[in-house]
Amino acid sequence: MRLPPILRNGLLALALLLAPALPALARGSIERVEIVGLEGDEAIEQNVRLALGLDDTLGQVHGESRLEYLLLRAEKEARQALEPFGYYSPQIRVDAPRDEGDRIVVTIHIDKGEPVKVRDAHVAIVGPGGEDQYLRRDLEAFHPVPGEVFDHGVYEGHKDGITRRLAERGYFDADFMQRQVRVTRADASADIDLVWDSGFRYDMGPTTFHQDYFRPGLLDKLVTWEEGSYFHQGKLDRLRESLVRLDYFSAIDIQVKPEEADEDLRVPVEVNLVLAKRNIYTAGLSYGTESGTGVRFGVERRYVNDRGHKLNWDMDWAQKRKTFLTQYRIPAFAWLDGWYAFSLGAYDEQTDYIDLRNVKLSASRSGEINQHWTAVASLNALRERWSYDMDLATGQRLYTYSTLLYPELTATYVDVDDRLFPRRGISATAVLRGGVENVGSDTSFIQGQLTATWFKGLGQSDRLIVRGEAGSTWTSELVAMPPSLRFFAGGDRSIRGYAWREVGPRTADDFALGAKNVLTGSVEYERYFGGGPWGGAVFVDAGDAFDDEFDPHVGVGIGARWRSPVGPVRIDIAHGLDHPDSGFQIYLSLGANL
C-alpha cells in the first residue's frame, strides 16, 4: 500500500526533526557528585561517598534508563550510609541537571534529621563469666548507653570486644542468648538486648612443643603457668614473646585445642616451631671523621648446640679506631627470661688527640622483669692504657695505666606506643657501677648515669621529643679513671652543634680529657608534611661535661626526617652558639633512639 505523497513527506520531515534530538534525550554522562549538608561531618560524608555507586560511573556514557536507575539508587545508598551513625529518618533530595554537552553534575542534598538514641539497653553475661571481674568491667564500660546516639560502630566495637574477652579468658563455649537491636523510627529510639551465655571457664592443659633440634625440656622452662591454672590468652602471648626473643625459629604457631579438652576442661596447647637459619653474616663499610674509613664484619650463630647456646663475633677495623667483641650466651629461664653472657672486647684508638687501648672481660645475667623493665647485672674486668702527649726529652709516649674490677647494674624502662616511631610514652636507662681499691681495682669509685627520653604526639603525626642525661662519678683519684669510664659531651646523642667529645675539660693541647660529671638536655619538635613519611625538625640542645663548675654549652639546628619501614632516619645540621665562628656539624642517625 502506498501512502499519499503529502503524508509520506510529512512523516519524513518529522523523522528528520526528531533524529538529532533522540541521542541527547537517551544518553548522558555523570561529571561529578557533590554532597551538600554534611559539612563538618567528615566520617559520615566519607561513608556516604563510599556507598554511592555513582562514583564508579563517572565519565561513562549511559542510556536514559540506566541514568534514572543510578540516580534512584543513589538516594537509597545515601540513606543506608547514614544509618550506622544513628540517622534513620533523613531528608534526601537528588538533583541532576544537564549542561549542553549532556554532562550531568549530581548534587545530593542531605538533611540528617534527628538521630536515633538508645532508649533501653540490656547487656549482660549469664553463667560463670558473669562473676568475672574483668568481664564485669567490660559490661560497665559498654556503649552506647541510654540517652546516647545509637552509633553502629561503637555498638559493634564494644560487642566484639566482649566476645573476644570471653575467648581470651577461656570461655570457649560462650555464645549469644540474645542479640537484637529494635529501632523505632517514629520515636527515634533504639532498644538493645544483648546477652551472652559464658559457659564454663577452661583451664590450661599440657603444652607440647613440636621441634626436632633442641633437647627435650629446654623450651618447657618458658612455660610460666601451672597446668590446671585458669586459661588466659596473655599467658600464651608471653610464651610467644619469649620464643621470639630467643631468635631460634623462623615461624612460631601456637594453637589452642578446646575441642580436645579433657573432662576437667583442660585445654591442650600445641606449639609448632620452624628452625631458623643457624648463621647470620654481616659486612659493611664504616666511616667517621675521627676514625677514618673502615670495614665491619659480623657473625651470629643463633644456636651453637641443642642446649640453645649462642655465639657472636663483631669487628670494626678502621684506619684510626678498631674494635672487636665476641660474646657467648647461655639461655637463662629461672626467675627471669634472659641470658648468661660471657664477653671479651678489645678497643684500639690512634687519633690525633689520644693513643688508647683496652681489653674488657664481662660476665653478666640479663632478665626481663616485666613488659616495661629489663635489667642486666654484670661483673667486669677492665685493663686500659692511654696517652695524650709525648715526653719531649725522649720523644716517647707518656702512658697511664688503669686496672678496674667492678660490678655493674643496668636497668631499662620502655613504655611507648610504638617502638619504631613512638608518639607517646617514655624510655629511660639507669646505670650504676663501682669498684674498691685493692680489691681488683686501682681506685675506689662509684658512678651513676641516667638517660631518659619523653615522646609527646602533636596533631596527626607531629611529635615533641624531650631528652635528658645526667651522670656523676665519686672517686678520690679521677686520674685513675680510664677515658672509657669518663663522661664526655657533644655529638648527635648529646649536644648537637659540637663534635663528639668536644664539650668538657681539655688538655693543654686542647684535647678532651673526660669529666666526672655530665648534664645535658634537648628539646626537639618534628613536623611531618601531610601526615606522610617526610618531615623536618627544629631543636635546641644544651649541657656540659664538667668536674666542678657547670658551664652549659648551647647548640641549635634543623633537620630532615624520613619515617622509613625500619625506623626514623634523621639528618641534622647544627651550630654551637658558644663558638660563633665554628663550623656547622652534620649528623646522620637511624632508629627510634629509645
Side-chain angles (χ1 to χ4, degrees):
M1 175 181 177
R2 296 175 59 86
L3 295 173
I6 187 170
L7 182 58
R8 187 170 62 250
N9 293 337
L11 291 174
L12 179 60
L14 179 62
L16 292 173
L17 288 172
L18 291 177
L22 286 175
L25 289 173
R27 304 179 69 80
S29 64
I30 299 173
E31 188 74 12
R32 66 179 184 275
V33 178
E34 296 180 352
I35 299 175
V36 178
L38 297 180
E39 294 79 5
D41 294 321
E42 295 181 4
I44 299 179
E45 182 176 351
Q46 179 68 12
N47 200 53
V48 171
R49 286 199 176 276
L50 291 174
L52 290 174
L54 291 175
D55 284 337
D56 298 330
T57 66
L58 295 181
Q60 300 176 10
V61 179
H62 297 285
E64 188 68 22
S65 59
R66 175 64 176 170
L67 288 172
E68 289 180 1
Y69 168 75
L70 291 172
L71 295 176
L72 287 173
R73 194 177 69 173
E75 179 181 349
K76 180 180 179 181
E77 290 169 340
R79 189 178 302 277
Q80 292 175 342
L82 293 170
E83 291 182 358
F85 298 91
Y87 296 96
Y88 281 78
S89 302
Q91 299 295 322
I92 300 175
R93 188 179 82 252
V94 179
D95 293 335
R98 298 171 183 255
D99 63 13
E100 295 181 357
D102 289 334
R103 291 186 297 268
I104 303 172
V105 176
V106 178
T107 303
I108 303 177
H109 301 269
I110 298 177
D111 180 356
K112 297 178 297 185
E114 290 297 320
V116 167
K117 294 186 178 180
V118 177
R119 178 172 55 190
D120 181 50
H122 177 222
V123 184
I125 299 175
V126 299
E131 303 300 320
D132 190 308
Q133 59 174 325
Y134 296 98
L135 290 168
R136 287 205 304 267
R137 292 176 188 174
D138 289 342
L139 292 175
E140 293 169 358
F142 189 92
H143 285 273
V145 298
E148 292 183 340
V149 173
F150 180 66
D151 187 309
H152 285 221
V154 174
Y155 168 80
E156 293 292 338
H158 283 264
K159 175 173 68 70
D160 293 344
I162 292 177
T163 300
R164 285 194 303 270
R165 182 64 68 91
L166 283 162
E168 290 172 357
R169 298 189 63 76
Y171 298 95
F172 294 113
D173 297 330
D175 201 358
F176 290 102
M177 295 181 64
Q178 298 289 336
R179 182 175 49 177
Q180 185 178 23
V181 177
R182 295 180 296 275
V183 175
T184 306
R185 296 176 187 269
D187 299 334
S189 64
D191 299 312
I192 299 173
D193 191 6
L194 192 59
V195 181
W196 289 266
D197 180 358
S198 71
F200 290 105
R201 187 176 190 180
Y202 286 66
D203 294 329
M204 303 298 297
T207 302
T208 306
F209 292 91
H210 297 283
Q211 56 85 29
D212 55 5
Y213 179 78
F214 297 103
R215 60 175 49 192
L218 175 67
L219 301 178
D220 293 343
K221 299 175 183 178
L222 296 175
V223 178
T224 58
W225 60 86
E226 293 289 335
E227 186 174 330
S229 64
Y230 63 82
F231 181 91
H232 193 286
Q233 182 64 38
K235 297 177 179 180
L236 301 183
D237 293 340
R238 180 177 176 182
L239 173 61
R240 182 185 302 277
E241 292 171 1
S242 297
L243 290 168
V244 169
R245 283 194 301 270
L246 288 176
D247 196 30
Y248 296 151
F249 309 104
S250 60
I252 301 170
D253 180 27
I254 301 178
Q255 296 185 0
V256 181
K257 302 284 188 175
E259 68 278 6
E260 298 179 11
D262 61 18
E263 59 184 9
D264 295 324
L265 298 182
R266 294 189 177 186
V267 182
V269 177
E270 294 189 1
V271 185
N272 301 295
L273 303 168
V274 178
L275 200 62
K277 184 179 179 180
R278 169 173 282 186
N279 297 320
I280 301 176
Y281 302 93
T282 58
L285 301 177
S286 65
Y287 176 77
T289 54
E290 292 187 358
S291 61
T293 304
V295 293
R296 291 178 175 175
F297 298 100
V299 179
E300 178 185 355
R301 199 167 179 84
R302 281 188 169 120
Y303 39 92
V304 175
N305 49 40
D306 62 0
R307 294 180 176 88
H309 296 188
K310 289 177 174 282
L311 181 61
N312 293 59
W313 294 277
D314 290 288
M315 183 181 67
D316 188 345
W317 191 278
Q319 291 172 300
K320 300 180 181 180
R321 186 177 294 137
K322 303 167 181 63
T323 61
F324 173 78
L325 176 66
T326 182
Q327 185 182 64
Y328 193 87
R329 289 188 292 164
I330 301 171
F333 302 129
W335 181 45
L336 298 173
D337 285 358
W339 301 89
Y340 295 108
F342 305 91
S343 63
L344 168 64
Y347 181 84
D348 180 282
E349 182 175 345
Q350 307 292 323
T351 57
D352 293 337
Y353 97 98
I354 195 171
D355 177 344
L356 184 149
R357 290 179 180 175
N358 68 33
V359 176
K360 183 179 179 181
L361 289 169
S362 295
S364 65
R365 167 67 159 100
S366 63
E368 180 184 353
I369 299 173
N370 55 39
Q371 62 177 334
H372 300 308
W373 284 99
T374 57
V376 181
S378 63
L379 180 64
N380 306 275
L382 176 67
R383 175 65 171 174
E384 189 157 316
R385 183 200 76 177
W386 69 95
S387 172
Y388 291 105
D389 48 25
M390 311 283 288
D391 186 333
L392 297 179
T394 63
Q396 300 294 318
R397 279 279 187 180
L398 296 175
Y399 288 106
T400 303
Y401 295 84
S402 179
T403 301
L404 297 176
L405 178 66
Y406 59 93
E408 179 176 292
L409 178 63
T410 302
T412 301
Y413 176 83
V414 178
D415 183 11
V416 296
D417 57 345
D418 184 345
R419 285 179 176 261
L420 276 182
F421 187 77
R423 299 189 70 245
R424 178 203 60 77
I426 189 171
S427 66
T429 299
V431 181
L432 181 65
R433 60 176 71 95
V436 178
E437 187 176 2
N438 297 324
V439 184
S441 296
D442 293 340
T443 184
S444 297
F445 74 98
I446 298 176
Q447 189 175 72
Q449 184 179 13
L450 174 66
T451 58
T453 305
W454 177 65
F455 301 91
K456 173 65 176 178
L458 301 173
Q460 180 180 358
S461 57
D462 301 349
R463 60 180 185 169
L464 179 70
I465 304 173
V466 180
R467 173 175 49 81
E469 175 192 16
S472 187
T473 306
W474 294 269
T475 180
S476 57
E477 295 183 77
L478 181 62
V479 68
M481 292 295 293
S484 63
L485 290 181
R486 298 184 190 181
F487 293 115
F488 297 88
D492 65 322
R493 289 290 292 161
S494 180
I495 311 171
R496 286 166 289 188
Y498 301 88
W500 182 50
R501 300 189 294 198
E502 182 179 350
V503 179
R506 321 288 294 181
T507 67
D509 297 325
D510 201 33
F511 295 139
L513 279 170
K516 291 173 62 177
N517 311 293
V518 67
L519 183 62
T520 66
S522 171
V523 178
E524 178 175 321
Y525 173 68
E526 292 183 348
R527 172 76 175 177
Y528 287 85
F529 310 123
W534 292 96
V538 294
F539 55 84
V540 56
D541 299 348
D544 188 24
F546 59 100
D547 289 333
D548 299 310
E549 296 185 4
F550 179 63
D551 180 21
H553 291 58
V554 180
V556 297
I558 60 175
R561 299 290 183 267
W562 176 43
R563 207 164 56 212
S564 78
V566 295
V569 177
R570 297 174 294 277
I571 300 177
D572 292 326
I573 301 175
H575 181 63
L577 300 184
D578 291 72
H579 302 290
D581 297 331
S582 64
F584 287 87
Q585 298 286 331
I586 300 177
Y587 309 94
L588 172 64
S589 55
L590 170 67
N593 281 342
L594 292 177

